[in-house]
Amino acid sequence: MPETAAARNVLSTRGWLSRLPEPVRTAILDRCALRSYGPGEAVYHLGDETGGMFGLVSGSLAVMIAPREHGPYLAHLGRPGFWFGEGIAITREPRRIGVVARQPTSLMVLPLSAIDELAAALPDFWRHVAVNAIMNLDLALRAYDDMLIASPGVRVAANLCRLAGNAFELAGETRNLRIDVTQTELSELSAMSRNAVGRILSELSARGLVDIGYGYLVIRDLAALKKAATAHD
């Protein structure tokens, strides 16, 4: 199936699976099924007990959290190559995050039963799963580090770089990147008022770094924005 072959190629060259040995990568992909989601459709909700891991092939995903029983709030945006859902496979506890499609989105789904099969067949399988868990932990630490940036303008730029996938250093994807985040969500991520974030975005737009759309942003040059995001170093 051409769509499945293309999906396998995306996930083999980006993110978690690109770091694994080829036989393990193939064994995982052989047990995955391609699934499509429409804008606003939940992959799963906070507290769900459904199992499985998911690899993002195309589109955009909102990762939602609800700390201290508030929210849910946007925590991150997944881009192609992003894998998630390993927590329930490890702990067998309800989901700690919710994931919702922001655009027409395709995912490769690895069922919990397949995870158990792989764990029985591959001695190092859980170590490979831990690689993805550490990658997602790195994202969480990156988000926390961004929140500690004193300069409001640099903080907003750093958040935009993270949402654009800068943490994964996506090769060949550095210009005209659509980010499905509202100004309200960006203000929550940056611990700032919406008006303050709006002023910063206007400044970034005037510098040719960002285009402002209705409910989304376009990063015109990720490399240049990254320089603005590291101005505090």
Side-chain angles (χ1 to χ4, degrees), residues 35-78:
R35 188 178 300 172
S36 297
Y37 295 80
E41 186 175 356
V43 179
Y44 54 77
H45 298 93
L46 285 146
D48 279 357
E49 297 183 357
T50 54
M53 291 179 64
F54 302 80
L56 178 54
V57 176
S58 64
S60 175
L61 293 169
V63 178
M64 311 299 294
I65 61 173
R68 298 182 305 280
E69 300 180 357
H70 298 292
Y73 302 111
L74 177 70
H76 188 61
L77 290 176

Short mmCIF file of all heavy atoms in Angstrom, two decimals, residues 35-78:
data_model
loop_
_atom_site.label_atom_id
_atom_site.label_comp_id
_atom_site.label_asym_id
_atom_site.label_seq_id
_atom_site.Cartn_x
_atom_site.Cartn_y
_atom_site.Cartn_z
N ARG A 35 -3.68 5.10 10.51
CA ARG A 35 -5.00 5.58 10.89
C ARG A 35 -5.06 7.09 10.67
O ARG A 35 -4.07 7.80 10.88
CB ARG A 35 -5.30 5.25 12.35
CG ARG A 35 -6.72 5.54 12.79
CD ARG A 35 -6.94 5.14 14.24
NE ARG A 35 -6.69 3.72 14.47
CZ ARG A 35 -6.66 3.15 15.67
NH1 ARG A 35 -6.85 3.90 16.75
NH2 ARG A 35 -6.45 1.85 15.79
N SER A 36 -6.22 7.59 10.26
CA SER A 36 -6.39 9.02 9.98
C SER A 36 -7.32 9.65 11.02
O SER A 36 -8.25 9.01 11.51
CB SER A 36 -6.98 9.23 8.58
OG SER A 36 -6.09 8.75 7.59
N TYR A 37 -7.06 10.94 11.30
CA TYR A 37 -7.86 11.71 12.26
C TYR A 37 -8.18 13.06 11.64
O TYR A 37 -7.33 13.67 10.97
CB TYR A 37 -7.11 11.92 13.57
CG TYR A 37 -6.84 10.64 14.33
CD1 TYR A 37 -5.78 9.81 13.98
CD2 TYR A 37 -7.64 10.26 15.41
CE1 TYR A 37 -5.53 8.63 14.66
CE2 TYR A 37 -7.40 9.09 16.10
CZ TYR A 37 -6.34 8.27 15.73
OH TYR A 37 -6.09 7.11 16.40
N GLY A 38 -9.38 13.55 11.89
CA GLY A 38 -9.77 14.86 11.40
C GLY A 38 -9.45 15.94 12.41
O GLY A 38 -9.21 15.66 13.60
N PRO A 39 -9.43 17.22 11.99
CA PRO A 39 -9.17 18.32 12.91
C PRO A 39 -10.13 18.31 14.09
O PRO A 39 -11.34 18.18 13.92
CB PRO A 39 -9.38 19.57 12.04
CG PRO A 39 -9.13 19.10 10.64
CD PRO A 39 -9.64 17.70 10.60
N GLY A 40 -9.59 18.40 15.30
CA GLY A 40 -10.40 18.39 16.50
C GLY A 40 -10.69 17.00 17.05
O GLY A 40 -11.25 16.87 18.14
N GLU A 41 -10.31 15.96 16.31
CA GLU A 41 -10.58 14.60 16.77
C GLU A 41 -9.50 14.16 17.76
O GLU A 41 -8.31 14.34 17.52
CB GLU A 41 -10.61 13.64 15.58
CG GLU A 41 -11.02 12.22 15.95
CD GLU A 41 -11.16 11.31 14.74
OE1 GLU A 41 -11.00 11.81 13.60
OE2 GLU A 41 -11.41 10.12 14.94
N ALA A 42 -9.93 13.58 18.87
CA ALA A 42 -8.99 13.15 19.90
C ALA A 42 -8.40 11.78 19.56
O ALA A 42 -9.14 10.86 19.18
CB ALA A 42 -9.69 13.09 21.25
N VAL A 43 -7.09 11.68 19.69
CA VAL A 43 -6.44 10.38 19.61
C VAL A 43 -6.74 9.63 20.90
O VAL A 43 -7.11 8.45 20.90
CB VAL A 43 -4.92 10.54 19.41
CG1 VAL A 43 -4.24 9.18 19.35
CG2 VAL A 43 -4.64 11.33 18.13
N TYR A 44 -6.59 10.32 22.02
CA TYR A 44 -7.09 9.85 23.31
C TYR A 44 -7.17 11.04 24.25
O TYR A 44 -6.59 12.09 24.00
CB TYR A 44 -6.25 8.72 23.90
CG TYR A 44 -4.76 8.98 24.05
CD1 TYR A 44 -4.27 9.79 25.08
CD2 TYR A 44 -3.84 8.38 23.20
CE1 TYR A 44 -2.91 10.00 25.23
CE2 TYR A 44 -2.49 8.58 23.34
CZ TYR A 44 -2.02 9.39 24.36
OH TYR A 44 -0.67 9.60 24.51
N HIS A 45 -7.94 10.86 25.34
CA HIS A 45 -8.16 11.92 26.31
C HIS A 45 -7.38 11.64 27.59
O HIS A 45 -6.98 10.50 27.86
CB HIS A 45 -9.64 12.05 26.66
CG HIS A 45 -10.52 12.42 25.51
ND1 HIS A 45 -11.17 11.47 24.74
CD2 HIS A 45 -10.87 13.62 25.01
CE1 HIS A 45 -11.88 12.08 23.81
NE2 HIS A 45 -11.71 13.39 23.94
N LEU A 46 -7.19 12.68 28.38
CA LEU A 46 -6.65 12.52 29.72
C LEU A 46 -7.50 11.51 30.49
O LEU A 46 -8.72 11.59 30.48
CB LEU A 46 -6.67 13.86 30.46
CG LEU A 46 -5.62 14.89 30.04
CD1 LEU A 46 -6.18 16.28 30.14
CD2 LEU A 46 -4.40 14.75 30.96
N GLY A 47 -6.84 10.55 31.12
CA GLY A 47 -7.54 9.56 31.91
C GLY A 47 -7.99 8.34 31.16
O GLY A 47 -8.45 7.37 31.77
N ASP A 48 -7.88 8.34 29.82
CA ASP A 48 -8.25 7.15 29.05
C ASP A 48 -7.37 5.97 29.45
O ASP A 48 -6.21 6.14 29.82
CB ASP A 48 -8.11 7.41 27.55
CG ASP A 48 -9.30 8.16 26.97
OD1 ASP A 48 -10.25 8.43 27.73
OD2 ASP A 48 -9.26 8.49 25.77
N GLU A 49 -7.91 4.78 29.30
CA GLU A 49 -7.15 3.57 29.63
C GLU A 49 -6.84 2.74 28.39
O GLU A 49 -6.40 1.60 28.49
CB GLU A 49 -7.93 2.74 30.65
CG GLU A 49 -8.10 3.47 31.98
CD GLU A 49 -8.80 2.64 33.03
OE1 GLU A 49 -9.20 1.50 32.72
OE2 GLU A 49 -8.96 3.13 34.17
N THR A 50 -7.08 3.31 27.21
CA THR A 50 -6.76 2.61 25.97
C THR A 50 -5.26 2.53 25.80
O THR A 50 -4.52 3.44 26.18
CB THR A 50 -7.37 3.34 24.76
OG1 THR A 50 -6.94 4.71 24.78
CG2 THR A 50 -8.87 3.29 24.80
N GLY A 51 -4.78 1.43 25.23
CA GLY A 51 -3.34 1.21 25.12
C GLY A 51 -2.78 1.56 23.77
O GLY A 51 -3.50 1.97 22.86
N GLY A 52 -1.48 1.40 23.65
CA GLY A 52 -0.82 1.58 22.38
C GLY A 52 0.07 2.81 22.29
O GLY A 52 -0.07 3.74 23.08
N MET A 53 0.99 2.77 21.33
CA MET A 53 1.85 3.90 21.01
C MET A 53 1.49 4.40 19.62
O MET A 53 0.93 3.68 18.80
CB MET A 53 3.33 3.50 21.06
CG MET A 53 3.84 3.18 22.45
SD MET A 53 5.59 2.67 22.45
CE MET A 53 6.40 4.19 21.84
N PHE A 54 1.82 5.67 19.36
CA PHE A 54 1.43 6.32 18.12
C PHE A 54 2.62 7.09 17.55
O PHE A 54 3.32 7.78 18.29
CB PHE A 54 0.28 7.29 18.38
CG PHE A 54 -0.94 6.66 18.98
CD1 PHE A 54 -1.00 6.39 20.34
CD2 PHE A 54 -2.03 6.33 18.18
CE1 PHE A 54 -2.13 5.81 20.91
CE2 PHE A 54 -3.16 5.74 18.75
CZ PHE A 54 -3.21 5.48 20.10
N GLY A 55 2.81 6.99 16.23
CA GLY A 55 3.84 7.76 15.54
C GLY A 55 3.19 8.70 14.54
O GLY A 55 2.38 8.26 13.69
N LEU A 56 3.52 9.98 14.62
CA LEU A 56 2.89 10.99 13.76
C LEU A 56 3.56 11.00 12.39
O LEU A 56 4.75 11.25 12.27
CB LEU A 56 3.00 12.37 14.42
CG LEU A 56 2.44 13.56 13.65
CD1 LEU A 56 0.99 13.34 13.25
CD2 LEU A 56 2.58 14.83 14.48
N VAL A 57 2.75 10.72 11.37
CA VAL A 57 3.24 10.66 9.99
C VAL A 57 3.06 12.00 9.29
O VAL A 57 3.96 12.51 8.63
CB VAL A 57 2.50 9.55 9.21
CG1 VAL A 57 2.93 9.55 7.74
CG2 VAL A 57 2.75 8.19 9.86
N SER A 58 1.87 12.59 9.41
CA SER A 58 1.60 13.87 8.77
C SER A 58 0.54 14.61 9.58
O SER A 58 -0.23 14.00 10.33
CB SER A 58 1.11 13.67 7.33
OG SER A 58 -0.13 12.97 7.31
N GLY A 59 0.51 15.93 9.43
CA GLY A 59 -0.44 16.74 10.16
C GLY A 59 0.17 17.34 11.41
O GLY A 59 1.40 17.52 11.50
N SER A 60 -0.67 17.62 12.39
CA SER A 60 -0.23 18.30 13.61
C SER A 60 -1.10 17.84 14.77
O SER A 60 -2.31 17.66 14.62
CB SER A 60 -0.34 19.82 13.43
OG SER A 60 -0.04 20.50 14.63
N LEU A 61 -0.47 17.66 15.94
CA LEU A 61 -1.16 17.19 17.12
C LEU A 61 -0.94 18.14 18.29
O LEU A 61 0.18 18.62 18.50
CB LEU A 61 -0.65 15.80 17.54
CG LEU A 61 -0.95 14.64 16.61
CD1 LEU A 61 -0.13 13.43 17.04
CD2 LEU A 61 -2.44 14.30 16.61
N ALA A 62 -2.00 18.39 19.04
CA ALA A 62 -1.89 19.17 20.27
C ALA A 62 -1.79 18.22 21.45
O ALA A 62 -2.64 17.34 21.62
CB ALA A 62 -3.11 20.06 20.44
N VAL A 63 -0.73 18.39 22.23
CA VAL A 63 -0.55 17.61 23.46
C VAL A 63 -1.10 18.46 24.61
O VAL A 63 -0.62 19.57 24.86
CB VAL A 63 0.93 17.28 23.70
CG1 VAL A 63 1.10 16.53 25.01
CG2 VAL A 63 1.48 16.46 22.53
N MET A 64 -2.12 17.93 25.29
CA MET A 64 -2.83 18.69 26.31
C MET A 64 -2.54 18.12 27.71
O MET A 64 -2.48 16.91 27.89
CB MET A 64 -4.34 18.64 26.05
CG MET A 64 -4.76 18.97 24.62
SD MET A 64 -4.28 20.63 24.08
CE MET A 64 -5.31 21.65 25.16
N ILE A 65 -2.38 19.02 28.68
CA ILE A 65 -2.16 18.63 30.06
C ILE A 65 -3.19 19.33 30.94
O ILE A 65 -3.78 20.34 30.54
CB ILE A 65 -0.74 18.95 30.54
CG1 ILE A 65 -0.47 20.46 30.47
CG2 ILE A 65 0.30 18.18 29.73
CD1 ILE A 65 0.86 20.88 31.08
N ALA A 66 -3.37 18.80 32.14
CA ALA A 66 -4.30 19.42 33.10
C ALA A 66 -3.68 19.32 34.49
O ALA A 66 -4.12 18.53 35.32
CB ALA A 66 -5.65 18.74 33.06
N PRO A 67 -2.67 20.13 34.77
CA PRO A 67 -2.04 20.08 36.09
C PRO A 67 -2.97 20.63 37.16
O PRO A 67 -3.75 21.54 36.92
CB PRO A 67 -0.80 20.95 35.91
CG PRO A 67 -1.17 21.91 34.83
CD PRO A 67 -2.07 21.13 33.90
N ARG A 68 -2.87 20.05 38.35
CA ARG A 68 -3.63 20.54 39.51
C ARG A 68 -5.13 20.63 39.20
O ARG A 68 -5.83 21.51 39.67
CB ARG A 68 -3.10 21.89 39.98
CG ARG A 68 -1.65 21.85 40.43
CD ARG A 68 -1.20 23.21 40.91
NE ARG A 68 -1.39 24.26 39.93
CZ ARG A 68 -0.58 24.47 38.91
NH1 ARG A 68 0.50 23.73 38.75
NH2 ARG A 68 -0.82 25.45 38.06
N GLU A 69 -5.61 19.73 38.37
CA GLU A 69 -7.03 19.64 38.03
C GLU A 69 -7.55 20.85 37.28
O GLU A 69 -8.77 21.06 37.18
CB GLU A 69 -7.88 19.40 39.30
CG GLU A 69 -7.50 18.11 40.02
CD GLU A 69 -8.33 17.87 41.26
OE1 GLU A 69 -9.16 18.74 41.58
OE2 GLU A 69 -8.15 16.83 41.89
N HIS A 70 -6.67 21.69 36.76
CA HIS A 70 -7.07 22.80 35.91
C HIS A 70 -6.79 22.43 34.45
O HIS A 70 -6.10 21.46 34.16
CB HIS A 70 -6.30 24.07 36.29
CG HIS A 70 -6.56 24.54 37.69
ND1 HIS A 70 -7.78 25.02 38.09
CD2 HIS A 70 -5.76 24.58 38.78
CE1 HIS A 70 -7.73 25.35 39.37
NE2 HIS A 70 -6.51 25.08 39.81
N GLY A 71 -7.30 23.23 33.55
CA GLY A 71 -7.04 22.97 32.14
C GLY A 71 -8.20 22.23 31.49
O GLY A 71 -9.32 22.27 31.98
N PRO A 72 -7.95 21.52 30.38
CA PRO A 72 -6.61 21.22 29.85
C PRO A 72 -5.97 22.41 29.12
O PRO A 72 -6.67 23.29 28.62
CB PRO A 72 -6.88 20.08 28.87
CG PRO A 72 -8.28 20.31 28.42
CD PRO A 72 -9.01 20.88 29.60
N TYR A 73 -4.63 22.40 29.11
CA TYR A 73 -3.84 23.42 28.45
C TYR A 73 -2.94 22.78 27.41
O TYR A 73 -2.51 21.63 27.56
CB TYR A 73 -2.96 24.16 29.46
CG TYR A 73 -3.70 24.82 30.59
CD1 TYR A 73 -3.59 24.34 31.88
CD2 TYR A 73 -4.51 25.93 30.36
CE1 TYR A 73 -4.26 24.95 32.94
CE2 TYR A 73 -5.19 26.54 31.40
CZ TYR A 73 -5.07 26.05 32.69
OH TYR A 73 -5.74 26.66 33.73
N LEU A 74 -2.64 23.55 26.37
CA LEU A 74 -1.68 23.09 25.38
C LEU A 74 -0.29 23.06 26.00
O LEU A 74 0.16 24.04 26.59
CB LEU A 74 -1.68 24.02 24.17
CG LEU A 74 -0.66 23.67 23.08
CD1 LEU A 74 -1.06 22.40 22.36
CD2 LEU A 74 -0.51 24.83 22.09
N ALA A 75 0.40 21.93 25.86
CA ALA A 75 1.77 21.80 26.35
C ALA A 75 2.78 21.73 25.22
O ALA A 75 3.90 22.22 25.35
CB ALA A 75 1.91 20.55 27.23
N HIS A 76 2.37 21.12 24.09
CA HIS A 76 3.30 20.96 22.99
C HIS A 76 2.52 20.65 21.72
O HIS A 76 1.35 20.24 21.78
CB HIS A 76 4.29 19.82 23.30
CG HIS A 76 5.41 19.71 22.30
ND1 HIS A 76 6.32 20.73 22.08
CD2 HIS A 76 5.75 18.70 21.46
CE1 HIS A 76 7.17 20.34 21.16
NE2 HIS A 76 6.85 19.14 20.76
N LEU A 77 3.17 20.84 20.59
CA LEU A 77 2.61 20.44 19.30
C LEU A 77 3.50 19.36 18.69
O LEU A 77 4.71 19.56 18.53
CB LEU A 77 2.54 21.64 18.35
CG LEU A 77 1.51 22.72 18.67
CD1 LEU A 77 1.65 23.88 17.68
CD2 LEU A 77 0.09 22.17 18.62
N GLY A 78 2.89 18.23 18.37
CA GLY A 78 3.65 17.17 17.72
C GLY A 78 3.74 17.40 16.22
O GLY A 78 2.78 17.83 15.59
#
